[in-house]
Amino acid sequence: MAQTSPVHPVDEVPPVRQLTAFGLQHVLAMYAGAVAVPLIVGSAMKLSPADLAYLITADLLVCGIATLIQCVGFWRFGVRLPIMQGCTFAAVSPMVLIGTTGGGLPAIYGSVIVAGLAIMLLAPVFGRLLRFFPPLVTGTVILIIGVSLLPVAGNWAAGGVGSADFGAPSNIALAVFVLAVVLGVQRFAPAFLSRIAVLVGIVVGLVVAVPFGFTDFDGVGDADWVGISTPFHFGAPTFEFSAIVSMLVVALVTMTETTGDLIAVGEMTDRRVEPRSLSDGLRADGLSTVLGGVFNTFPYTAYAQNVGLVGMTRVRSRWVVATAGGILVLLGLLPKLGAVVAAIPAPVLGGAGLVMFGTVAASGLRTLTQVDFKGNNNLTVVAVSVAMGVLPVGVPTIYQKFPDWFQTVMNSGISAGCLTAIVLNLLFNHLPSRAGSAAPDPDGLAGGGVEEGVEKPREEIV
């Protein structure tokens, strides 16, 4: 009898009940980030409430389509891993600048379409660079992704940036309560419930938040039942040189970030990303970005928020995230459902985000345990890369006097840290060393001086 080969966990199709629950959990984890980009750009351009609502529903629709392309895939499009897609924050500042200096939304969409086409053309090039992403680089990038996302969870826990009660003890208390529920469910609940611990925590947090006045559902009644996004709703795209150049810089940043996210998910799911699959994933990003320009929304990239959810729940099926993509399509077509999800208060998302984003950082540390830190400079590579990645997160205005293109690249902690890790790995591990240079000490730092005692007990140093 012929034996069927076992199905890889990434390709397993869970029962419908689990697909729905796991998929909804992914949607709730990324929803706030997904709607933030159209809200920020639309508000900066002083769009009417109706146009803002249109931007959000269009964004949710294309988020869902982009996720389906990435997870399910067709031909050479899609990495076929559990990857959620959403609007990239790296494009916010350039798009606001383009939209408010005379170009308007048509100029934004023209530059987005060109950027998407450029990503599709450059995808094979990035695929060939995969050999420069050993565990030293991938572990560092995954660690930076988690650490750079933690302030997002902190802002949610405090009530959301710009809220009148930001930092109120009641907000923090609600976030801590949700965090406690997530941890309790994960530790004590049956296996199925422990895998949807984030969803349970958000639902319980919402139930508690409503009677205490943390949220209301007034917006649900005002939302339409059905809303369909039509191509070029805000007019035919225009192609302005300066706008295209700035968006091409964003495209390079998002390709770097997506590469890190795809490698991270590949590590978590035990399906390593190969050069061809990386190219397919980036090509899907480019196609989604082109669709964004056509359907009145913005550039798309893999969402790091959901990378943490994959690591935390250990649910590796890509069909779970494809189901989440289907839910997003539904939310994009039914604005009233989207308004219900939007009513979830920020502190509830913050409590869940703390454990999810911390899981990403912990996964990076787990990958770094595969790296040899003895007799080389690998510790220096990790140290400087993490420092460069955390710098714009801790000091957001540090690069504000630099040119716009430089800010676009370096203000993203993920891209700054990733580029630093790649360059330092090439410098220390690929280029031939100079004759007579100081040999690294066993702890991985350049020899000599005060640094000899970096990892030794204090008593031994004294």
Side-chain angles (χ1 to χ4, degrees):
M1 292 177 60
Q3 294 183 346
T4 57
S5 58
V7 177
H8 193 282
V10 168
D11 298 318
E12 285 182 348
V13 182
V16 174
R17 177 173 63 96
Q18 295 184 14
L19 275 176
T20 304
F22 293 149
L24 181 59
Q25 186 171 237
H26 273 281
V27 170
L28 295 179
M30 60 84 68
Y31 189 90
V35 301
V37 174
L39 276 174
I40 294 170
V41 175
S43 300
M45 296 181 62
K46 297 180 171 53
L47 297 182
S48 66
D51 285 341
L52 267 178
Y54 190 93
L55 278 183
I56 292 172
T57 54
D59 174 41
L60 294 174
L61 175 65
V62 182
C63 273
I65 295 172
T67 300
L68 289 169
I69 294 172
Q70 196 68 275
C71 295
V72 179
F74 67 93
W75 190 50
R76 297 297 304 278
F77 291 86
V79 71
R80 294 168 176 83
L81 285 173
I83 295 286
M84 285 293 287
Q85 297 285 104
C87 282
T88 174
F89 282 87
V92 169
S93 296
M95 289 191 300
V96 168
L97 187 63
I98 295 167
T100 55
T101 55
L105 286 172
I108 291 177
Y109 295 139
S111 63
V112 168
I113 291 172
V114 173
L117 294 172
I119 292 173
M120 285 193 281
L121 291 173
L122 291 173
V125 177
F126 261 70
R128 297 190 191 99
L129 298 178
L130 195 59
R131 64 192 180 94
F132 297 114
F133 286 85
L136 172 64
V137 174
T138 59
T140 303
V141 171
I142 297 168
L143 173 61
I144 292 169
I145 290 172
V147 172
S148 64
L149 284 173
L150 285 173
V152 176
N155 284 324
W156 287 347
V161 176
S163 61
D165 60 346
F166 185 85
S170 57
N171 290 337
I172 307 297
L174 179 58
V176 171
F177 170 74
V178 172
L179 175 61
V181 171
V182 171
L183 296 176
V185 171
Q186 193 172 17
R187 174 62 180 85
F188 299 107
F192 171 68
L193 281 180
S194 69
R195 290 184 172 184
I196 57 170
V198 171
L199 176 61
V200 173
I202 290 174
V203 171
V204 172
L206 181 60
V207 170
V208 171
V210 171
F212 284 96
F214 281 92
T215 188
D216 61 70
F217 294 94
D218 292 342
V220 177
D222 298 334
D224 296 328
W225 278 105
V226 178
I228 299 176
S229 300
T230 54
F232 308 126
H233 174 80
F234 295 99
T238 59
F239 301 92
E240 299 184 7
F241 179 76
S242 59
I244 290 172
V245 170
S246 63
M247 205 56 65
L248 288 176
V249 174
V250 170
L252 293 174
V253 173
T254 57
M255 291 179 78
T256 305
E257 291 182 352
T258 297
T259 299
D261 290 332
L262 296 186
I263 293 173
V265 173
E267 296 274 353
M268 292 176 180
T269 58
D270 295 324
R271 176 174 279 179
R272 295 293 179 91
V273 174
E274 303 295 336
R276 173 166 175 159
S277 56
L278 174 59
S279 299
D280 294 347
L282 293 172
R283 200 175 285 112
D285 258 16
L287 177 59
S288 302
T289 298
V290 172
L291 290 176
V294 173
F295 285 94
N296 320 292
T297 179
F298 308 115
Y300 285 85
T301 187
Y303 253 32
Q305 290 94 316
N306 298 83
V307 174
L309 193 55
V310 171
M312 176 190 161
T313 63
R314 298 184 295 280
V315 177
R316 296 180 279 178
S317 172
R318 61 190 172 106
W319 297 104
V320 164
V321 181
T323 302
I327 294 173
L328 285 172
V329 171
L330 196 61
L331 293 176
L333 296 175
L334 302 174
K336 199 172 284 290
L337 284 180
V340 173
V341 178
I344 299 174
V348 172
L349 296 174
L354 286 171
V355 65
M356 287 191 303
F357 303 159
T359 301
V360 180
S363 297
L365 293 175
R366 182 178 60 186
T367 302
L368 286 173
T369 60
Q370 306 171 25
V371 178
D372 180 17
F373 288 101
K374 299 294 184 181
N376 53 44
N377 293 289
N378 288 342
L379 195 63
T380 301
V381 175
V382 176
V384 177
S385 301
V386 171
M388 292 300 294
V390 173
L391 198 59
V393 177
V395 191
T397 58
I398 188 169
Y399 299 122
Q400 67 178 5
K401 295 187 183 300
F402 284 74
D404 291 338
W405 67 267
F406 186 89
Q407 293 186 49
T408 300
V409 176
M410 299 302 292
N411 273 341
S412 167
I414 297 173
S415 63
C418 185
L419 291 173
T420 304
I422 293 170
V423 171
L424 292 182
N425 178 54
L426 289 172
L427 176 64
F428 286 114
N429 296 323
H430 288 266
L431 296 180
S433 57
R434 288 187 300 126
S437 61
D441 75 356
D443 289 317
L445 289 166
V450 180
E451 291 177 331
E452 289 183 3
V454 165
E455 290 188 338
K456 296 179 182 177
R458 181 173 179 82
E459 294 81 1
E460 187 176 340
I461 299 172
V462 174

